[in-house]
Each structure stands twice: as C-alpha cells, then as structure tokens.
Amino acid sequence: MKKILLAVILIASLQQVVAQNLLSGKYNTEALRKLLISQSTWKPFPKIQERQEWAKANQETLKENLAKAETYLNYSWPSIPATVSLLVERTGDREEYQNISFKKREVLLTLLFAEIYENKGRFTDQIINGIWSISEESFWGISAHLPRKKENAGLMDVSEPFVDLFAAETATLFSWVDYYLAEKLDKVSPQLRKRIYYEIENRVLSPLMTKKHGFMGGNEDGRRPNNWNPWICSNWLNTVLLIEKNEDKRAEAVHKILSVLDNFLNPYPLDGGCDEGPGYWGAAAAALYDNLSLLNLVTNDAFNYTYQDQKIKNMAAFIYKAQISETYFINFADASPKPSMDAPMIYRFGKAINDENMMKFGAYYYKPGTKVSRFHIFRNFFELFLDEELRKVPKQLPLPKSVWLPETQVMLARDKAGSTKGLTIAAKGGHNDESHNHNDIGNFMVYVDGNPLLIDVGSGTYTRRTFSGDRYDIWFNSSDYHNTPTVNGCVQSPGRAFKATDLNFTENKSKVVFALDIAKSYPKEAGLISWKRAITLNRGKNVQIKDTYQLKAEGAFINHLMTCYPPEVKSPGLIIIKYEKDSVKKHFAIQYDASLLNANIEKVKLGIPEDKGVKRNWGDNIYRINLTLIKPSTAGSLNLMVKEVKL
C-alpha cells in the first residue's frame, strides 16, 4: 500500500508539472489585447438605465436592501482616528478599526444597490459623501495588515502605498459606483469621478504594477501563496477591467494578474485540498473562480478551457468533500467549524465545471432574498440574476462515504454515504507550516449524527498576536490543545520540517484506516524515535485510535482529547461524555487501559481576547481530557475506543 501511495503522489506531481502556467501560458499580452472587450463597450451587467433588465433581477433581495439603505439616509460617515489605528500595536485589538472601516463600505454598497434598484437619485448625495469620506482615509486596508516596521507602529506611511485585501475590495467598490452612477456623479461635479480614478490609481493599480507584494508569490521559507493571492487578484482584475481606459495598459495588467494567479495555482495540490480549510476556501479556490468568471465575461469565454482542468475541478469539489453535516465542516488550522456557504457562487462554480454534486450542494444552501454581501462584491451581480434558476434546481448534500486527499494529507469517512447518521471521522497529516497553521499533525475529530463529539477547537478572534511570533503561545494553536500527545513535556514545533511521515489510507466496506507517524512533528527534546498513530472507523460500531511509540530513553507523555461536552471519569479506564443535541441524549464512552494511563479532565478557561471567537463557535464549553502515562517507558502501544453506550 505504501508503494501504491508513493506512486499516486508521484503521478500527481508529474501532472502538476504538465499544468504549469495554465492561465498566463495561453495568451500573451498582444493576444489578450485583441480578446478583451474594450473598457468603453464592456457591459458585464445591465446599466442602471436598462430597467427591463433590472426587473429580471432578484426583487426580493433588492427590496430588502432598499429598506436597509433607507436607514442610512442620515448616516454620519465617521473618520478613523489615528489612535484607533494604533490599537493593533498598543493592545493587539484589530476589531475597532475593522468595524468602522467595514461598516462604511457596507453602507456605501447598500446605498449603491438601492440607487440601482430605485434610480431616482434619492441615495446619490449619501453615496457622494461615502466616496469622499473613504477617499480621505489614510489607508483603505486595515491596521492589522500594516507592515510590521518600527516606522509604521500602527500607522500608515501614506508615501508608500501598498495593497492588502481590503484596499483591493475598496477599489472594486469604487469601480462599480463609477460603472453604475457615472452620469449621476458627473451632474453633481466632475471632481467626483476624477477623485475615484485618482485614488484607485495611486492606492491600488500603480502599486500593484510597480511593486512586489508578498501575496504575489511564495515566501522565503517556501510556503506557497494563500487566499490573499486570488482574492486580491479578483478585485484587481475587476477594477482594471472597469476603470482602465488605456487598452494597452489594461491588457498588460491582465497578463500580470494571470502570472500572479499562476503562482497560486502551480504549486496547489492536484487533489484540490485547501489547507486553510472550508471557511477560507471561499476566498481561495472560490476567488480563483471569481477571476475565471470575470475573464470569461470580458473575453467571450476565451478562458472556458480552464474548467476542463482536473486540478480546477478538484479545487472546486473540496468544499463539499470537506463537509461533515449541514452545519459542520472539517476545521483544521484556522478554519471555522461552521463556515457560511455562498450558495449562488458555489452553484455557478459547479455549473462551470459540470459537477452536478457541487451544483446540488450550492443550491441546497440557497435562501431567496439573501442579503447583499460586502466582500467579493462582483458576486452580487452574478447572483442577482440567478434567483429563478436556483429556485428550480435539485438540492442535495453529496456527503461522500469517504474522502482521501493524498497531497493535502486530509481524510474524512462516515458510516454511510449520503447520510450524517452515525459516526464521522476526519484526520490530518501534513506539516506545521501550512497557511493559517496550527501545530496539529495527527489531529483527528469525531462527529455523531453530524454533530461534534471530539473536536478541533479551531481559531478564535484575530488579534495582533495571531499573526506574530507569539502565534503558538495562543493555546488553541498549540498541539497540546488538539487531539495529539505531549511527549516528555514537548509540544509539536512550527515549521515545514515538522511533518507527518509514512502515511497510509485504506478502506473496505466495514472500515477505514488512516495511519501515519507523527514523531517528526516534535522537537529533538521529545526524544521520539517513532509515534505511529492509526485512526480507524469501524462503520456502524466505533472509532479506534491506536498509538505505537518508541522513545530514545524512558519517558512520559500525555495524550490529549478535546470535546465540547462535559466528560466524566466514570471508573478507571472509562470516560463518559453525555451528548445532548436537539433534545436527543446519548452517552459515549472513551475506553482506555487504566493500567497504563491515568485520566483527568479540565474545563478550559476562556478569558483572553482571542477567546471571543472560540465562544462564538462553541460557547463556554471546551474541555480537555488528559491521559497521562503512569510509568515511564521506552516503547509501547495505547488503544482508545470511542463508542455509544447505554447507561
């Protein structure tokens, strides 16, 4: 089996080489210049004057947006004080700045759609106020994304503009305001659109064309680009296509965007796995699709060939392969256990690649009247004209019986295909330098009837510490708060060198086994020679975890298990978890060898700023089970079993 697995990975690697530069390698700048519909004639969506066309849009969403916009007719556009920007350095808080910045853009977008819908000029003055207020901000991004330099110290150097996620989003928002309200703005003053063009050029387009940004390629440690790459590119592309009047510069920018996107796509695993998790998939693989959909819209489908690429198809399918139940998804690393689903976008992506499972999956989450989204703004326009189709298509969750992503090193298996009933497990290998990384090699989760039992806590509220050298001092990022062992007092170390080895995935009708060695994810001080972990789902029966370890000298360890229900040591060798969900009460046993391990239980205290996000996901209900080796040893085996019991 090991040889078969290595062969699979080798074949996948060869296929990746073949697929290099899928986007930038097809057309050069001159060819793009001919393919691109000119800026002056491109009409991606109906203009505001085309009322019959807008009558075909989702009226329910537009009316709900209108009602919301009316509450903003007297909105007072706030500035962002320097002291609020400084908070990220002084206290680590990033939310106060974000809340002001995001709200302003949400209000402007809401007003824009209200004016498009009504077309009476009632919202124009407030839109103008929004343009002017946002134009006067020192930075269009957020303070948490400012360069970590002493000379910045939480404040923007306006002489050195650079582009983060939300500066790019703001440029897109301004571009759509210009596209729809050009005549209305010019009637008030020519300075308005002049200001829009000036700010976009100086804050976004020029820096992106003349300066290297980190998101454009891998970092010095070899980590491939993450969601920032396609997310920023999608806004960059949208803005260039709408705003840039010089057709040569427009084609040049598009070609550079394609090259930057290839830096994201080339090293992406062929299995399509998103190491940032399902929540970030919406800004990673999905944002790549945003680029493809815009490119096809402006070239009369000259990029349709990309939808036949197997890697693109696998990247798309990840979102439903990573699903545990209607509410819950695999949430390794910083991923949310309960991410929101952009149903229309998922449906469109599935339709583009001709994946019926994905189309049904997207349609399942569709709710007519879905509010306008303030991020990935261009998706709103696609979705407004998709309502009738989405109401009619079949809706179904695929829930595959098993999923194995050999390059991403993530697996999922359930008792029965197409059903959340019974047990579902997920587990991971990988390395400890993944995007939004947690030190979590060998971590696993167990769900019952689609609801959590043994969990990955996931991430909390982002603060300055989250993406700093102190990242792994935050408890839920460290391996001792995952379902992994602490060996000789050592937790797993961060870095690409700390990784899983000897992976094996096998399956038959009755069981699924995921095996790996996690020893190399620990520092030398742990004294590990090997720690082989096998996680088995015996379908319809139980989950077994077998750890076989070998140390260089006699040592001790603690095996940790995380849960969101109160556990109780019922007797030596038996822990009971009382599981309650939607008036359903069950009891689950964790059985272990009491002659080898001593169990104790602690409730995790949630009190640091980052814990606000943990509480949003789980409530104040995080418990850690610690199974401590009683007698130091150099080698041995441990067996845990999780199963339902009757008390």
Side-chain angles (χ1 to χ4, degrees), residues 454-488:
L454 296 180
I455 65 171
D456 185 313
V457 175
S459 184
T461 297
Y462 286 169
T463 66
R464 184 185 183 279
R465 287 205 304 165
T466 306
F467 300 105
S468 73
D470 300 327
R471 177 176 177 83
Y472 298 105
D473 293 335
I474 303 172
W475 64 273
F476 49 73
N477 293 335
S478 180
S479 64
D480 53 338
Y481 286 90
H482 289 80
N483 300 318
T484 56
T486 295
V487 184
N488 284 324

Side-chain angles (χ1 to χ4, degrees), residues 220-231:
E220 295 177 355
D221 297 326
R223 183 190 292 178
R224 57 188 172 86
N226 67 4
N227 69 84
W228 275 50
N229 178 296
W231 187 352

Side-chain angles (χ1 to χ4, degrees), residues 97 105 137-143 146 156 162 164 167 203:
Y97 187 107
R105 286 146 180 81
E137 293 174 354
S138 294
F139 183 40
W140 274 1
I142 59 172
S143 57
L146 289 168
M156 178 64 184
F162 75 98
D164 78 336
R203 293 176 186 260

Side-chain angles (χ1 to χ4, degrees), residues 300-600:
N300 292 316
D301 295 331
F303 285 83
N304 260 352
Y305 71 92
T306 60
Y307 297 142
Q308 306 307 314
D309 184 80
Q310 191 58 50
K311 186 189 288 189
I312 299 290
K313 292 183 177 184
N314 291 344
M315 290 170 70
F318 173 81
I319 190 59
Y320 66 79
K321 290 180 179 179
Q323 180 177 38
I324 294 172
S325 62
E326 179 178 357
T327 302
Y328 291 98
F329 287 71
I330 294 174
N331 69 308
F332 297 124
D334 273 355
S336 168
K338 298 183 284 188
S340 59
M341 293 293 106
D342 188 336
M345 177 275 296
I346 293 170
Y347 173 78
R348 289 192 300 113
F349 200 171
K351 186 176 181 180
I353 63 170
N354 196 29
D355 185 333
E356 290 188 8
N357 280 329
M358 190 171 184
M359 293 167 67
K360 292 176 182 177
F361 174 85
Y364 182 91
Y365 287 99
Y366 181 61
K367 296 178 181 178
T370 302
K371 68 177 183 179
V372 170
S373 173
R374 71 168 182 257
F375 298 132
H376 311 288
I377 294 166
F378 36 80
R379 292 181 188 172
N380 291 300
F381 297 102
F382 285 103
E383 292 158 12
L384 280 169
F385 294 92
L386 202 61
D387 177 62
E388 186 176 347
E389 182 175 347
L390 275 167
R391 288 174 187 261
K392 294 178 180 178
V393 297
K395 299 169 174 59
Q396 185 179 351
L397 298 180
L399 301 173
K401 193 172 184 179
S402 67
V403 174
W404 169 230
L405 306 175
E407 292 174 86
T408 310
Q409 299 184 4
V410 167
M411 61 80 64
L412 177 147
R414 50 176 48 90
D415 277 348
K416 184 180 179 182
S419 174
T420 60
K421 294 296 182 183
L423 293 166
T424 300
I425 65 168
K428 76 179 295 292
H431 58 79
N432 280 337
D433 190 38
E434 295 167 346
S435 185
H436 292 270
N437 182 71
H438 289 196
N439 293 333
D440 59 355
I441 307 305
N443 188 35
F444 64 93
M445 55 186 75
V446 178
Y447 275 65
V448 179
D449 297 335
N451 292 301
L453 183 68
L454 296 180
I455 65 171
D456 185 313
V457 175
S459 184
T461 297
Y462 286 169
T463 66
R464 184 185 183 279
R465 287 205 304 165
T466 306
F467 300 105
S468 73
D470 300 327
R471 177 176 177 83
Y472 298 105
D473 293 335
I474 303 172
W475 64 273
F476 49 73
N477 293 335
S478 180
S479 64
D480 53 338
Y481 286 90
H482 289 80
N483 300 318
T484 56
T486 295
V487 184
N488 284 324
C490 295
V491 295
Q492 294 183 15
S493 296
R496 184 171 292 269
F498 299 95
K499 60 185 179 180
T501 59
D502 297 333
L503 280 84
N504 199 344
F505 177 85
T506 59
E507 179 182 18
N508 57 39
K509 290 182 179 180
S510 61
K511 68 179 181 180
V512 178
V513 183
F514 175 58
L516 71 169
D517 191 333
I518 65 174
K520 287 191 176 180
S521 61
Y522 290 83
K524 292 180 180 179
E525 293 76 13
L528 274 168
I529 297 173
S530 66
W531 189 293
K532 296 181 179 180
R533 167 164 283 187
I535 302 161
T536 302
L537 171 64
N538 293 303
R539 288 192 163 115
K541 296 179 180 178
N542 56 48
V543 174
Q544 292 177 302
I545 300 93
K546 181 177 181 179
D547 288 331
T548 304
Y549 63 92
Q550 187 176 0
L551 303 174
K552 295 176 182 177
E554 280 194 351
F557 57 79
I558 305 171
N559 235 342
H560 306 290
L561 298 172
M562 307 298 298
T563 183
C564 54
Y565 295 100
E568 176 188 357
V569 180
K570 197 72 173 176
S571 61
L574 178 63
I575 296 170
I576 296 295
I577 297 178
K578 296 179 179 178
Y579 164 96
E580 296 184 20
K581 186 69 178 179
D582 299 329
S583 74
V584 175
K585 296 183 180 181
K586 296 184 178 183
H587 294 86
F588 282 84
I590 299 175
Q591 297 176 342
Y592 61 96
D593 190 336
S595 69
L596 297 175
L597 301 170
N598 181 52
N600 83 295

